Amino acid sequence: MRAARLIKMVLLLQSRPSMTAAELARELEVSERTVTRDAQALSEAGVPVYADRGRAGGYRLVGGYRTRLTGLARSEAEALFLSGVPGALREMGLEDAASAARLKVSAALLPSLRDAPDSAAQRFHLDAPAWFREPETPALLAALAEAVWDDRCVTARYRRGEDEVERLLEPYGLVLKAGVWYLCARVAGSPFRTYRIDRFGAVDPLEDRFVREPDFDLPRHWAEQAERFARSILRAEVVVRLSPQGVRGLRYAVDPVSAREALGGVGEPDGAGWVTVTLPVESEEVAHTQLTALGAEAEVLAPESLRERFAGDAARLAALYGPADA
């Protein structure tokens, strides 16, 4: 355990100019006193760890010290080669760079771990696009990816409905969601917004670079945006009575946010084991389509208009599947 922590400490210091004891303690999940002891142990082992004293002090490696990746365990080496998404890298124009990086890492591994890339590739594969849909690479993805990597401003034309608008954007990050590429960007000084890349009509990178917000976190931003969007479209409510099987199936029939909110406030089941929930939905039409999947495991109680739709469905189904006339 300590050996792994010492290797991680060296790699952390190798990736940054310097780190304070508090920063190292947070990354390594130990106390600052343990950081001090580990730094002393590394120094005694010949790793040139230097401690700068004072308020702005910290730990750093002296003389451009670098360590090779010979401390990787097999599971770590295999996991390393799972971190890339080949299709996504190819679409962003980064396939050659990723291939070169994998070759360099492979060359640094111990001989006993050289088969790690093949071992991982034969056991795990990420297929990002959604089912029943041919993946299409947006024509301007590579240009946007290059601008994202370089922190370079772009002027872009973007289709919004029937109109096309032009914006000067600071492109912060790219997200691939179910086969669709999105750009998280902002107009300088404005809140961040999310753009579908296949709706860009033109992208022109500029010479100007922008300064990234130091506290911007792309995964957190995307999760918050996705949650906010899912909630924003749930503008109506229906009251539904669910069987135990209907409760289990609700999360597969409706939006996860909708199911979570409905089941979070569920009361005690009745004598038959059924529960009544208030379900946020996009519209009555969408609710009709979604709840149809639950069949007889769900009974709509309100609004009356939606209940009447299901009653009509039931009557038509009874006519279709009822006994034939003699």
Side-chain angles (χ1 to χ4, degrees):
M1 173 68 85
R2 191 189 186 199
R5 190 176 70 242
L6 291 174
I7 292 172
K8 185 176 181 180
M9 184 174 180
V10 172
L11 293 174
L12 284 169
L13 293 174
Q14 189 171 292
S15 64
R16 307 179 194 181
S18 68
M19 296 182 69
T20 66
E23 290 171 336
L24 284 167
R26 185 165 56 251
E27 292 280 356
L28 299 171
E29 298 181 348
V30 296
S31 67
E32 293 186 32
R33 180 171 296 180
T34 298
V35 168
T36 301
R37 288 199 296 265
D38 285 353
Q40 180 64 32
L42 287 171
S43 181
E44 291 173 355
V47 178
V49 178
Y50 183 79
D52 291 312
R53 306 297 180 185
R55 177 178 296 182
Y59 293 92
R60 59 186 174 87
L61 294 175
V62 179
Y65 177 85
R66 308 292 292 178
T67 183
R68 297 184 67 192
L69 297 176
T70 51
L72 286 175
R74 168 165 292 279
S75 61
E76 294 169 333
E78 291 174 344
L80 178 64
F81 286 93
L82 289 177
S83 61
V85 186
L89 292 170
R90 182 172 58 252
E91 292 176 6
M92 289 189 292
L94 298 173
E95 185 176 28
D96 290 343
S99 177
R102 285 193 294 269
L103 285 173
K104 290 178 181 179
V105 173
S106 296
L109 293 174
L110 290 171
S112 61
L113 300 179
R114 294 282 166 79
D115 66 337
D118 293 333
S119 174
Q122 292 305 316
R123 287 166 172 79
F124 300 99
H125 173 66
L126 176 61
D127 184 9
W131 284 103
F132 313 117
R133 177 184 193 158
E134 286 295 326
E136 295 184 3
T137 303
L140 299 172
L141 175 61
L144 282 169
E146 186 173 350
V148 167
W149 281 113
D150 290 344
D151 295 337
R152 194 179 297 276
C153 297
V154 300
T155 56
R157 294 202 306 273
Y158 186 77
R159 294 191 305 277
R160 183 178 293 167
E162 298 298 321
D163 302 322
E164 190 172 72
V165 297
E166 184 169 309
R167 295 284 185 268
L168 174 60
L169 297 176
E170 297 176 350
Y172 266 67
L174 297 170
V175 175
L176 177 60
K177 171 71 171 179
V180 180
W181 283 96
Y182 297 88
L183 173 71
C184 296
R186 68 174 185 177
V187 178
S190 300
F192 289 96
R193 300 190 62 177
T194 302
Y195 302 85
R196 274 187 63 140
I197 292 180
D198 58 8
R199 293 180 183 167
F200 281 102
V203 171
D204 295 312
L206 305 177
E207 292 298 322
D208 298 335
R209 286 183 166 84
F210 62 91
V211 179
R212 300 177 70 90
E213 291 286 343
D215 57 350
F216 177 79
D217 185 301
L218 181 60
R220 184 178 68 234
H221 168 77
W222 176 258
E224 291 172 352
Q225 287 287 100
E227 180 87 2
R228 191 177 300 119
F229 173 75
R231 291 180 183 278
S232 70
I233 63 174
L234 301 176
R235 302 185 181 93
E237 289 183 344
V238 299
V239 181
V240 188
R241 186 167 169 261
L242 298 169
S243 71
Q245 186 173 337
V247 170
R248 291 191 295 271
L250 185 66
R251 67 187 74 252
Y252 304 107
V254 304
D255 182 88
V257 173
S258 179
R260 189 164 61 245
E261 290 197 6
L263 298 176
V266 68
E268 291 295 321
D270 60 21
W274 289 53
V275 296
T276 300
V277 300
T278 299
L279 181 70
V281 294
E282 184 176 347
S283 66
E284 185 174 310
E285 290 73 18
V286 172
H288 177 249
T289 301
Q290 292 175 333
L291 294 175
T292 295
L294 296 179
E297 306 304 324
E299 177 191 4
V300 173
L301 303 180
E304 185 63 29
S305 56
L306 182 57
R307 182 177 175 86
E308 290 173 356
R309 285 192 186 208
F310 279 101
D313 292 346
R316 288 192 296 274
L317 286 170
L320 285 172
Y321 294 102
D325 294 337

